Amino acid sequence: MSEENLYTFDHPEYKQTYWHTCSHVLAQAMKRLHPEVKLAIGPSIENGFYYDFDTPAPFSEAQLAELEAEMRKICKEKLKLERFELPRAEAIRFMEEREEPYKVELINDLPEDAVISFYRQGEFTDLCAGPHLDSTGRIKGNGIKLTACNAAYWRGDSNRQTLQRIYGIAFPKKDELEAYLKQQEEALKRDHNKLGRELEYFTTVDVIGQGLPILLPKGARVIQTLQRWIEDEEQRRGYQLTKTPLMAKRDLYRISGHWDHYLDGMFVLGDPEDETKDCFALRPMTCPFQYQVFLNRGRSYRDLPMRLGETSTLFRNEDSGEMHGLIRVRQFTISEGHLILRPEQLEEEFRGCFELANYCLETLGLKEDCSYRFSQWDPNNTDKYEGTPEQWAHAQEVMGKILDDLGVNYTIGIDEAAFYGPKLDIQCKNVFGKEDTLITIQIDMLLAEKFGMEYVDVDGQKARPYIIHRTSMGCYERTLALLIEKYAGALPCWMAPEQVRFLPVTDRAFDYCADLAKNLNDQGYRVEVDYRNEKIGKKIREAQLEKVPYMVVVGDRDMENGTVSPRHRSAGDLGAMTFQGFQAMLEKVVAEKLKDTDL
């Protein structure tokens, strides 16, 4: 790319190209300093770049610093990047001569008609489809930082070679790099995987397994509070509650198509190849189970729309390399729902799902961190999907019109659809800027036929319903992780695991505090009393560190005057007031689901 190119670093395509070229500079630096190391792959990613290397041991911080220094030298050399192509046999021989077995494997796995391209910069050449910058001189060496070195499996397979993955970030200006590193330092303080454990929201245990977190009492209480809120809200919006099994025979998943399209992601109980015995699988989704509610008896158009909701525990066999705290786990719970409806009800019901999702995000305070993606199928990879091109074109046209009518500002994600239909993915960023799907709303025009679902329409004829698959708040575990990060552990009072802590100044105030705490407990508030024989300053500091919203200090004067002296974790001392006054304030904060910034 020349300097006349209209793209700048703010443009996502240019940024990805810049980072991709940085990955090649890293690989070149590695081969200069450690020529025995074997190259695997090195792409740009959402926040920077990485390169995987086959090396005997992880690299130390000192070695990463040496690699950084060599990368800066390569940038100063202003090496031209030249693209060239080779026939398959020559390409394989080219990499065999350089003793790069991972590159040879990649070439062998390319389709027969694939164009096999390479990029050369100085003495270094790498197998790559590109694109790249035209010169290493485009990269500012003092804007590069190698950030981490972790283990990674070759091609994501735990049975293959363990490689060392070196991550990096780069910016065109040094001050941009410094600002990013400062933001990352702050993000580390908020990282739910660190903060959530310190505040005792969750833990993990090796003998239980990766991706199977234990919610400690605080975390369990938050999720219970969110679940009650969601279920009550869905009931107000006309949802019927269901409770379905956690597993089913493979026969059910064969009907739905999950056995053909999702088997690798399922936990199977039994031999999937043995047709002489029952084989079960833990459910990775609830849709084929909830359809049985509709199929329980004959239906007419008067039964529609049927809105079914369930707090569903699901199981997905995620790769071990993908596990991260509560963000990506193997057992999780979602606010799942399926709407079975007449085709003419589709837009109105989709709007209702969209409004519910946005209400949840606004109430939680996460909406500003979210974006919308219209996830579509890939017509060049049809084996992953059910249905014909005509059916997909129709479904995507209908969904596109609905999204446009709703005024949704979305991007398009090709090959991100469910195997049975397009969807709206509401993406939420964590503190590190990485996006994960939090909420989905999916249009399904295919599975009703596979399950024989039909209703008697107004004209007395049988008709197939449409289905909307949706979540209202998404995965509870992932939401808890995002909330911990968003609020740095200081969750809004209405959802906080402990809302009020009474702090008696002396043991003379124990009974007075106990009576007031019981009063609030009886009203449904989550209240504790700190009976320890410690100085009041220490009690306040510890409550503050534990992010308790309200600390109620009670001394002799409070007992004499019939008052309390509440403190708020961010607003500080609120002054002496009657217990009734404090109670009214607490009631308003919780009922209106106020955040600290609203007080």
Side-chain angles (χ1 to χ4, degrees):
M1 294 185 180
S2 69
E3 290 178 343
E4 289 75 33
N5 196 292
L6 296 177
Y7 288 166
T8 67
F9 191 75
D10 292 329
H11 193 286
E13 289 183 24
Y14 182 88
K15 184 181 292 185
Q16 291 299 310
T17 302
Y18 190 97
W19 285 338
H20 192 183
T21 304
C22 286
S23 76
H24 278 223
V25 173
L26 168 59
Q28 184 176 14
M30 177 67 76
K31 294 299 282 188
R32 284 184 177 183
L33 297 177
H34 305 278
E36 75 283 359
V37 166
K38 305 304 178 188
L39 304 176
I41 58 171
S44 62
I45 53 177
E46 188 174 1
N47 282 300
F49 59 93
Y50 72 78
Y51 212 108
D52 287 347
F53 302 101
D54 187 352
T55 179
F59 282 83
S60 65
E61 287 189 18
Q63 289 172 307
L64 292 183
E66 290 174 357
L67 285 168
E68 276 181 26
E70 191 64 34
M71 290 176 72
R72 286 192 282 272
K73 285 176 57 179
I74 293 169
C75 294
K76 287 182 180 179
E77 291 170 16
K78 298 182 180 180
L79 301 174
K80 184 178 179 181
L81 276 89
E82 300 174 300
R83 184 182 186 276
F84 64 94
E85 299 173 6
L86 290 176
R88 179 180 297 271
E90 288 185 37
I92 291 173
R93 185 165 58 253
F94 185 80
M95 280 301 172
E96 285 178 338
E97 289 172 353
R98 285 158 177 76
E99 298 182 351
E100 298 290 357
Y102 299 100
K103 301 296 182 179
V104 172
E105 180 178 328
L106 290 172
I107 295 169
N108 280 322
D109 287 347
L110 290 172
E112 286 298 324
D113 58 351
V115 174
I116 303 174
S117 60
F118 297 81
Y119 278 82
R120 178 189 295 118
Q121 56 197 59
E123 82 288 355
F124 177 77
T125 302
D126 203 354
L127 173 72
C128 187
H132 282 285
L133 304 179
D134 61 352
S135 167
T136 62
R138 301 279 183 202
I139 301 168
K140 304 306 177 186
N142 62 2
I144 294 172
K145 178 66 178 177
L146 298 182
T147 55
C149 180
N150 300 328
Y153 295 119
W154 170 233
R155 308 189 92 166
D157 186 345
S158 59
N159 296 314
R160 303 292 301 274
Q161 180 71 25
T162 300
L163 307 173
Q164 298 304 315
R165 175 170 296 176
I166 297 179
Y167 288 93
I169 189 70
F171 293 90
K173 297 179 182 177
K174 184 179 180 181
D175 58 354
E176 291 177 332
L177 172 65
E178 290 173 348
Y180 172 82
L181 295 176
K182 186 175 181 180
Q183 183 271 331
Q184 290 297 104
E185 185 179 344
E186 180 61 28
L188 281 172
K189 297 176 185 176
R190 290 174 173 256
D191 182 5
H192 85 277
N193 210 13
K194 173 179 180 290
L195 189 55
R197 295 172 192 271
E198 291 173 354
L199 293 174
E200 297 188 346
Y201 279 91
F202 76 100
T203 188
T204 51
V205 181
D206 287 344
V207 294
I208 289 177
Q210 197 175 12
L212 298 169
I214 293 175
L215 292 173
L216 299 172
K218 286 184 180 180
R221 186 65 70 193
V222 175
I223 286 184
Q224 181 191 56
T225 301
L226 295 176
Q227 180 181 332
R228 288 172 172 173
W229 165 56
I230 290 295
E231 289 181 350
D232 289 346
E233 184 62 34
E234 288 182 342
Q235 183 175 331
R236 280 191 287 271
R237 295 177 187 241
Y239 282 80
Q240 302 176 66
L241 185 66
T242 68
K243 190 169 181 62
T244 56
L246 299 179
M247 68 177 77
K249 293 161 58 175
R250 64 182 150 207
D251 308 59
L252 181 74
Y253 303 117
R254 279 179 169 157
I255 297 171
S256 68
H258 289 94
W259 201 253
D260 292 328
H261 295 281
Y262 202 75
L263 183 59
D264 289 345
M266 296 167 68
F267 288 102
V268 178
L269 310 176
D271 184 354
E273 305 298 327
D274 188 350
E275 298 292 337
T276 66
K277 297 179 182 178
D278 282 341
C279 181
F280 290 79
L282 298 176
R283 64 180 183 186
M285 75 304 295
T286 310
C287 42
F289 297 83
Q290 283 198 326
Y291 297 163
Q292 310 309 312
V293 177
F294 177 89
L295 291 166
N296 186 53
R297 60 176 172 82
R299 302 291 178 180
S300 81
Y301 70 94
R302 298 181 185 276
D303 296 312
L304 307 181
M306 176 181 283
R307 306 184 188 103
L308 303 175
E310 182 166 337
T311 303
S312 304
T313 298
L314 305 179
F315 307 85
R316 294 184 184 174
N317 191 11
E318 300 279 6
D319 183 80
S320 59
E322 298 295 322
M323 301 296 105
H324 176 64
L326 298 177
I327 292 284
R328 191 169 295 277
V329 291
R330 287 175 170 150
Q331 176 184 311
F332 56 95
T333 304
I334 67 172
S335 54
E336 194 167 13
H338 297 88
L339 292 80
I340 303 166
L341 43 98
R342 300 164 65 193
E344 55 266 36
Q345 296 170 328
L346 181 61
E347 183 161 0
E348 181 182 354
E349 291 302 312
F350 192 99
R351 178 186 296 273
C353 294
F354 184 71
E355 289 174 350
L356 173 57
N358 278 303
Y359 163 73
C360 291
L361 292 172
E362 288 170 354
T363 304
L364 295 171
L366 296 175
K367 188 174 181 182
E368 64 185 27
D369 303 313
C370 290
S371 60
Y372 303 96
R373 183 180 72 197
F374 180 8
S375 295
Q376 304 179 2
W377 83 323
D378 182 357
N380 298 315
N381 192 16
T382 57
D383 289 346
K384 287 179 60 176
Y385 300 97
E386 296 280 333
T388 65
E390 292 76 19
Q391 288 172 316
W392 275 91
H394 174 60
Q396 291 182 173
E397 180 184 1
V398 170
M399 186 165 182
K401 181 181 182 302
I402 291 173
L403 294 177
D404 291 341
D405 288 346
L406 289 171
V408 180
N409 182 19
Y410 59 82
T411 58
I412 292 177
I414 301 298
D415 204 23
E416 297 287 352
F419 69 80
Y420 47 77
K423 57 179 177 166
L424 176 68
D425 287 321
I426 301 181
Q427 305 289 104
C428 192
K429 288 186 177 181
N430 65 14
V431 287
F432 297 103
K434 183 181 183 302
E435 280 190 353
D436 283 290
T437 302
L438 187 59
I439 296 172
T440 65
I441 307 173
Q442 307 170 11
I443 290 179
D444 174 6
M445 300 180 180
L446 299 176
L447 293 187
E449 181 176 0
K450 294 172 76 73
F451 278 88
M453 299 167 70
E454 56 188 21
Y455 63 95
V456 178
D457 212 343
V458 180
D459 59 5
Q461 300 299 309
K462 290 184 177 180
R464 297 281 184 204
Y466 283 177
I467 300 168
I468 296 175
H469 306 240
R470 48 101 281 187
T471 53
S472 50
M473 189 196 67
C475 169
Y476 284 92
E477 290 83 357
R478 183 171 292 177
T479 299
L480 176 57
L482 293 169
L483 289 170
I484 290 170
E485 295 182 350
K486 175 75 175 183
Y487 296 107
L491 302 186
C493 184
W494 70 271
M495 69 172 82
E498 181 183 348
Q499 295 168 313
V500 180
R501 184 178 297 180
F502 283 89
L503 306 177
V505 176
T506 68
D507 56 4
R508 292 187 296 278
F510 283 3
D511 291 343
Y512 186 78
C513 289
D515 289 342
L516 298 183
K518 183 178 185 305
N519 186 310
L520 292 180
N521 269 313
D522 289 346
Q523 295 177 61
Y525 296 107
R526 298 180 288 280
V527 186
E528 300 291 340
V529 180
D530 187 343
Y531 291 112
R532 295 176 303 155
N533 185 22
E534 297 284 358
K535 291 182 179 180
I536 193 64
K538 182 175 181 179
K539 290 183 178 182
I540 292 172
R541 283 194 302 274
E542 291 185 357
Q544 196 85 32
L545 289 171
E546 293 179 42
K547 317 291 184 180
V548 179
Y550 289 97
M551 296 146 273
V552 181
V553 179
V554 178
D556 291 340
R557 183 175 297 177
D558 291 302
M559 290 190 291
E560 291 169 7
N561 298 333
T563 60
V564 293
S565 299
R567 296 178 59 89
H568 186 266
R569 64 190 170 198
S570 58
D573 187 359
L574 303 179
M577 63 180 71
T578 64
F579 176 68
Q580 290 73 22
F582 173 69
Q583 190 176 10
M585 179 178 65
L586 182 63
E587 182 179 359
K588 174 181 173 65
V589 169
V590 173
E592 296 181 13
K593 296 181 171 56
L594 300 181
K595 306 171 187 68
D596 286 7
T597 52
D598 299 324
L599 301 178

